[in-house]
Amino acid sequence: LSGCPSLGPPLWPSAPLSLEVLDLSGGETPFSHFLPPGPPASPPVRLPALRLLLLADCRLTDADARPISHLCPRLEALDLSGNPLLSDAAVLPLAALRRTLRSLALKRLPLVTAHALAALRALPLQTLELRGSSVPPDEAEASLGIARRAAECGR
């Protein structure tokens, strides 16, 4: 679905709940557009099997990104790169993925600061990319305690 400017009606009900990979990178359609409609009082439908979510360069806001950890509780890899309106408010809720999230890309997010590192510390990350954020590489290394992560910050 990468680069699709518009996909018409929501993806539901055609998208199975067993969906494991979703790449919406470069699209202009908000992530929420792909979720099924429901009554205002009903809980949002989840994508329980989703393991890889690519939302790079999608013009996301904090409000768009905040529910990701709730809607996709088994995410192992997430790319939010190139969404310059995302801030720490989008990153902090990702701490809920502390059992599953192994790879996180936050490249080119100038509003993501060292404050977000507290949430990232709880994650079992094997890969963290922070190039283009406001987190200095040495501060990321000191806070997270993993030299590999500092190297991925642009050193």
Side-chain angles (χ1 to χ4, degrees), residues 46-102:
R46 293 178 168 195
L47 297 172
L50 198 67
R51 299 201 182 282
L52 172 63
L53 180 57
L54 304 173
L55 296 172
D57 303 307
C58 287
R59 300 182 187 176
L60 296 178
T61 65
D62 288 341
D64 296 325
R66 243 181 250 121
I68 290 173
S69 59
H70 175 73
L71 298 173
C72 310
R74 292 189 181 158
L75 269 186
E76 294 175 5
L78 175 62
D79 187 351
L80 296 174
S81 300
N83 291 291
L85 298 178
L86 293 183
S87 71
D88 293 344
V91 176
L92 295 175
L94 297 178
L97 296 170
R98 64 185 161 273
R99 295 182 185 158
T100 60
L101 196 63
R102 307 268 186 270

Side-chain angles (χ1 to χ4, degrees), residues 117 136-151 153 155:
L117 294 180
D138 52 349
E139 190 168 344
E141 180 179 2
S143 294
L144 299 172
I146 298 177
R148 176 187 75 251
R149 292 181 185 169
C153 291
R155 262 196 195 165

Side-chain angles (χ1 to χ4, degrees), residues 95-118:
L97 296 170
R98 64 185 161 273
R99 295 182 185 158
T100 60
L101 196 63
R102 307 268 186 270
S103 178
L104 179 60
L106 302 173
K107 297 180 288 187
R108 302 180 323 277
L109 302 180
L111 301 178
V112 171
T113 70
H115 178 69
L117 294 180

